[in-house]
Amino acid sequence: MSAALPSYAAIIDAGSSSSRLFIYQWQSDIALGEPLSLRTVFPSNPTEKKESEVDGGIQLKKDVMSSYLRPALLSGQAFLQAHNVTNVPIYLLATGGMRETLTVDQQNVVLRAAHHAITGFQRHFLRRTMEHQ
């Protein structure tokens, strides 16, 4: 019996001063009751760390969201392609800058813009293995 392939998820940590993309890996074939062990696989070095971060708070970028998130998403896409990793969901975690400085309606506008920008990249993160055979 062969070991299961690892699972991955991409998370954009959208902060009030910058946003960062992280890609996590875990083994999905753990025994019942065993703790899940997440490992950050991207960024893993200073160059990737710089490429995965975009300056400025997400709460200020609703009108330029696609161009704001693009560098971080491109760096994650390059990592996934280099490692032949497919079917990676993207999540967004919006932190204090969103909760403390914007009304709920303003937050929704920013989140919709981020959703639209992420959706444009989703096909790169969720591509099927067969597309590249």
Side-chain angles (χ1 to χ4, degrees):
M1 184 169 161
S2 65
L5 294 175
S7 297
Y8 295 84
I11 298 177
I12 299 169
D13 179 3
S16 59
S17 61
S18 67
S19 295
R20 296 159 196 86
L21 177 75
F22 296 94
I23 299 176
Y24 296 96
Q25 177 192 63
W26 66 95
Q27 286 302 124
S28 54
D29 62 345
I30 61 173
L32 184 63
E34 290 292 317
L36 182 66
S37 177
L38 292 176
R39 184 169 73 102
T40 305
V41 294
F42 180 85
S44 65
N45 61 55
T47 300
E48 288 178 349
K49 185 175 180 180
K50 183 175 179 171
E51 292 171 350
S52 69
E53 183 173 357
V54 290
D55 289 332
I58 194 169
Q59 73 276 11
L60 305 172
K61 304 296 183 178
K62 67 178 174 39
D63 295 326
V64 293
M65 190 64 68
S66 291
S67 60
Y68 170 67
L69 292 176
R70 184 175 176 77
L73 291 168
L74 282 172
S75 68
Q77 175 188 332
F79 171 84
L80 294 172
Q81 289 176 343
H83 292 85
N84 199 30
V85 175
T86 60
N87 300 320
V88 178
I90 306 170
Y91 299 95
L92 176 91
L93 300 176
T95 56
M98 287 280 287
R99 291 188 309 274
E100 297 167 3
T101 61
L102 302 179
T103 67
V104 171
D105 288 340
Q106 291 170 324
Q107 291 173 18
N108 287 333
V109 169
V110 171
L111 292 173
R112 275 193 299 274
H115 180 263
H116 178 73
I118 291 168
T119 300
F121 266 84
Q122 196 76 6
R123 65 184 175 89
H124 299 291
F125 284 74
L126 295 177
R127 73 189 198 284
R128 302 279 182 227
T129 304
M130 292 182 65
E131 291 177 3
H132 301 286
Q133 292 180 348

